[in-house]
Each structure stands twice: as C-alpha cells, then as structure tokens.
Amino acid sequence: QAQLAESGGGLVQPGGSLRLSCVASEFTFEYYQIAWFRQAPGKEREGVSCISADEVTAQYADSVKDRFTITRDNAKNTVWLQLNSLKPEDTGVYYCAGDTFPCSYLREPYHWRYWGQGTQVNVSS
C-alpha cells in the first residue's frame, strides 16, 4: 500500500532551523502533489506548503512565507521542507500528504488521500 514517512523534527530555539523529509513508497510519486500540514495541540490541522508533481507550483501559508522552502526530487521519491527563522507558534506535529488534487487544496486537509504519521517540531527557549 502507499506510504509516506516523515523525519527531521526536533527541539530548536526560536530563530533556529530544521529540515523535514518526506519519503514516499508504493505509489506513483511523480504524479502526485505533496503537501505539508501541521497541527498544534488543541488546534485544527492547517496547510503549510505544497509542491506540484512537476515542481511548477509551490505554495505557502502566509504565516511561513519567506521562512520555509519546499523542494522535491522525484527520482528519490522525497520532498523536503526547510524551516528557517522558527518561531514558537511553529510548534506542532508536521505531516506530509499526497494526492492528485492540485495544490490549491492545501486549504482542504481532509481531501488529501495519503498521509504520513508525522514528526514533532518544538520551538522553545
């Protein structure tokens, strides 16, 4: 069955950086848009970033623009999310998700078909 697996989370101080990885298996990765979502305790899951299958489109939530960067390598079945200038409000579990829907569905987390189990990001001094 199709699988996604995240890694790279951890504890960092405000202003620090992390690089998250999402590795896909057992589905046609190069045909899928890949998105990152995050969820803080007691809050709804929210879209963070999305990259199209052909890398033409990259979208970011307003709260992370100019701080986060999404990239992918279809030959490696991998998507990365570079998190810079981290703030405490960036804390949460970060999930990657895949679907054939366009990246405009970043606003609709429940439309995404495949999900990883998440990786925890804690930003605290």
Side-chain angles (χ1 to χ4, degrees):
Q1 67 276 18
Q3 295 183 352
L4 295 167
E6 305 94 336
S7 62
L11 174 64
V12 297
Q13 295 186 1
S17 297
L18 288 171
R19 189 179 71 167
L20 309 183
S21 298
C22 172
V23 180
S25 63
E26 301 185 24
F27 69 97
T28 310
F29 179 83
E30 65 267 30
Y31 296 159
Y32 280 73
Q33 280 59 244
I34 302 296
W36 287 93
F37 296 83
R38 67 186 181 188
Q39 189 165 20
K43 299 185 69 176
E44 295 292 328
R45 190 167 299 185
E46 63 175 344
V48 176
S49 185
C50 181
I51 187 166
S52 61
D54 60 4
E55 305 184 44
V56 171
T57 299
Q59 295 186 359
Y60 301 92
D62 289 342
S63 59
V64 307
K65 286 180 179 178
D66 303 319
R67 298 190 298 120
F68 293 5
T69 303
I70 189 169
T71 55
R72 72 187 291 165
D73 185 341
N74 288 343
K76 297 181 178 180
N77 287 357
T78 302
V79 171
W80 297 270
L81 185 68
Q82 180 70 41
L83 287 62
N84 294 328
S85 302
L86 284 162
K87 304 174 180 179
E89 52 263 44
D90 295 317
T91 293
V93 179
Y94 282 67
Y95 302 89
C96 63
D99 214 319
T100 56
F101 291 107
C103 276
S104 59
Y105 280 85
L106 185 63
R107 301 177 180 178
E108 304 291 341
Y110 300 109
H111 280 78
W112 293 77
R113 182 176 182 181
Y114 301 122
W115 291 85
Q117 294 183 344
T119 185
Q120 179 73 46
V121 172
N122 290 308
V123 185
S124 176
S125 60

